[in-house]
Amino acid sequence: MELLWFILAAFGLTQILIYGKIFDAWRPEKHSYNGLGEIFHCSMCMGFWVGVFLFCINGMTELFSFDYTVANLLICGCVSSATSYVLCALFDDNGFKKTVNIIRDQK
């Protein structure tokens, strides 16, 4: 259950930081800071750093608790990145995204 809380918290915070209107004034452009601004427009990139942040503050919450090790820090970052990316690909403001991919033969 702790992992589920972690994933939901990571996805929620990632969504707020990338898409929240409240951060529009502070969110840098994609190509600013020698390309580091891309972090604020990518759910996979921001998801990783949100996971690292949540890992660092996990001692202050009762929702999830992980031992403070470098391995757990990297695992939390990777889990957050992957789940944030997948959930952002599946959902938008209107619920499930409705996309149709047509694969054509390239002969």
Side-chain angles (χ1 to χ4, degrees):
M1 194 61 156
E2 288 184 357
L3 185 59
L4 179 61
W5 282 118
F6 176 81
I7 289 170
L8 291 173
F11 175 61
L13 184 55
T14 300
Q15 286 287 98
I16 291 168
L17 292 173
I18 293 176
Y19 301 111
K21 295 217 181 284
I22 193 169
F23 291 109
D24 281 350
W26 295 295
R27 191 177 302 114
E29 296 295 321
K30 282 186 178 183
H31 302 292
S32 62
Y33 303 109
N34 293 324
L36 288 176
E38 181 72 29
I39 292 171
F40 295 89
H41 299 271
C42 170
S43 60
M44 189 179 292
C45 304
M46 183 58 75
F48 177 83
W49 292 109
V50 164
V52 168
F53 170 75
L54 290 176
F55 168 79
C56 291
I57 66 163
N58 88 82
M60 296 181 232
T61 182
E62 295 179 9
L63 291 176
F64 46 86
S65 61
F66 306 108
D67 292 337
Y68 284 103
T69 65
V70 173
N72 282 348
L73 178 132
L74 292 173
I75 290 168
C76 285
C78 292
V79 166
S80 174
S81 175
T83 57
S84 293
Y85 177 76
V86 168
L87 291 173
C88 283
L90 292 175
F91 297 101
D92 63 12
D93 290 344
N94 299 316
F96 281 109
K97 288 184 179 178
K98 297 174 186 166
T99 59
V100 176
N101 294 326
I102 299 173
I103 300 173
R104 295 183 183 201
D105 208 359
Q106 305 232 351
K107 291 183 181 179

